[in-house]
Amino acid sequence: MRRSTLLVTLAAFCWGLSGGIGAILMERGWDAFTVSFYRGAVGFLFVVIWLALRPQRSGLSKPKLWLWSVVAGVGVAGNFAFYFLSIAEGSVAVAATLMYCAPVFVYLVSFVLGLESPSLFKCLAILLVMSGVVLLTQIYTLSAGAVTLFAVTTGLLSGLSYAMFIFGFKYAAPHGSAQAILVIAFAVLAGILIVLGEVDQVSAAWSSASFPLLVLLGVLGAGLSFVFYIFGLNYTAPAIASMVAMVEPITASLFGVVVLGENLNVIQILGMALILVTVTALSVHSSRRKASIKDA
């Protein structure tokens, strides 16, 4: 149990570092789509090897696995691309925290589809997260230090895209293995991002001084991290995993402040704390409620 929790923690830590590495690469002139492509492409190689080593019950012959895995692929492509676009326009700390709002989008979509029933606790949590977003981004002010609307929009879209990945992965899981789902999802990601990105940049990266950093981004941001997370999640209680997930935005924020020299004022830190604590509480509440229903 302790080892599994450690694996989930390592996955979240790797995802946090990937935001900072992406910021460095974009400062060097690489666009967000190229950075996102290499993050996903290296991840694709990892999960292909994983599938080759463990091909049992892959489910690759099932149409529903393909359908929902493609949905997951579109989601993870949007998540990566919007995340780095938000970082390029704003900061690592703000982008990572906005992406962490993904569970709120899951609830909102679930309300619309009738998969979840609204409650006072859930509605209050969503309202608190929205308040945290306002404080973090300072969209109520027109000062030069405020986060731009583009950075806020893409940051929230990265969270919405991640919610789409969660739905796709959840509905694909009963039809096959995690590694098969991720192989399809990352292949879809690579196809989408190579079309949206600059082909010249993607090809030029092979011979550039930044190539090792692009590979490191993929290893940490989509290779080892997803393998760690899937293995760790198998034996980690969802409530614990939800709390451990806070490691990602905290790591990304610290990287931005310490390494990249980004600054957050007191109001932004308060907004960040409000989002992190509320989303974690919402996720833990959901996990415990589902566990109690299952045990009943």
Side-chain angles (χ1 to χ4, degrees):
M1 180 71 174
R2 187 175 300 174
R3 184 178 299 176
S4 300
T5 304
L6 177 61
L7 287 174
V8 176
T9 304
L10 284 173
F13 181 72
C14 288
W15 285 327
L17 288 179
S18 68
I21 295 172
I24 292 173
L25 286 164
M26 288 184 289
E27 285 183 353
R28 294 183 179 182
W30 301 99
D31 68 63
F33 293 112
T34 299
V35 173
S36 301
F37 169 79
Y38 274 99
R39 181 180 178 183
V42 174
F44 174 75
L45 295 177
F46 268 77
V47 293
V48 163
I49 294 171
W50 184 13
L51 180 60
L53 294 174
R54 301 187 66 175
Q56 300 85 358
R57 297 185 293 277
S58 68
L60 289 173
S61 61
K62 299 179 180 179
K64 285 188 177 181
L65 177 94
W66 283 86
L67 171 64
W68 289 112
S69 297
V70 168
V71 172
V74 174
V76 76
N79 173 242
F80 286 5
F82 285 128
Y83 180 45
F84 288 127
L85 284 169
S86 182
I87 289 174
E89 183 69 20
S91 69
V92 176
V94 171
T97 308
L98 291 175
M99 184 176 64
Y100 193 68
C101 296
V104 171
F105 291 113
V106 172
Y107 268 105
L108 292 174
V109 174
S110 297
F111 292 162
V112 173
L113 297 178
L115 302 174
E116 289 274 356
S117 300
S119 68
L120 179 61
F121 176 80
K122 295 172 189 175
C123 293
L124 180 60
I126 291 172
L127 182 61
L128 287 174
V129 169
M130 292 172 63
S131 300
V133 169
V134 171
L135 294 176
L136 174 67
T137 60
Q138 296 186 310
I139 57 176
Y140 52 84
T141 178
L142 298 177
S143 65
V147 181
T148 66
L149 180 60
F150 183 81
V152 175
T153 303
T154 49
L156 291 173
L157 284 173
S158 71
L160 180 60
S161 298
Y162 187 56
M164 183 178 179
F165 167 75
I166 292 171
F167 272 106
F169 192 93
K170 176 182 177 181
Y171 286 106
H175 306 289
S177 64
Q179 53 269 40
I181 297 168
L182 291 176
V183 164
I184 297 170
F186 281 135
V188 170
L189 174 151
I192 291 173
L193 294 179
I194 201 166
V195 170
L196 294 176
E198 297 181 16
V199 178
D200 291 342
Q201 272 213 353
V202 172
S203 57
W206 284 84
S207 57
S208 73
S210 297
F211 186 69
L213 199 57
L214 285 163
V215 172
L216 179 63
L217 171 67
V219 171
L220 295 179
L224 288 178
S225 54
F226 274 85
V227 176
F228 285 159
Y229 188 73
I230 297 299
F231 274 105
L233 203 59
N234 287 333
Y235 303 100
T236 303
I240 299 297
S242 298
M243 290 185 284
V244 167
M246 285 183 67
V247 170
E248 179 183 357
I250 291 173
T251 300
S253 299
L254 288 175
F255 191 103
V257 172
V258 176
V259 179
L260 303 175
E262 296 175 352
N263 294 310
L264 292 172
N265 59 40
V266 176
I267 293 177
Q268 288 179 301
I269 293 172
L270 177 62
M272 180 185 294
L274 189 59
I275 293 170
L276 297 181
V277 172
T278 305
V279 171
T280 303
L282 188 63
S283 300
V284 171
H285 171 76
S286 174
S287 300
R288 288 177 176 170
R289 185 176 59 83
K290 289 178 182 177
S292 63
I293 292 174
K294 186 181 294 186
D295 294 338

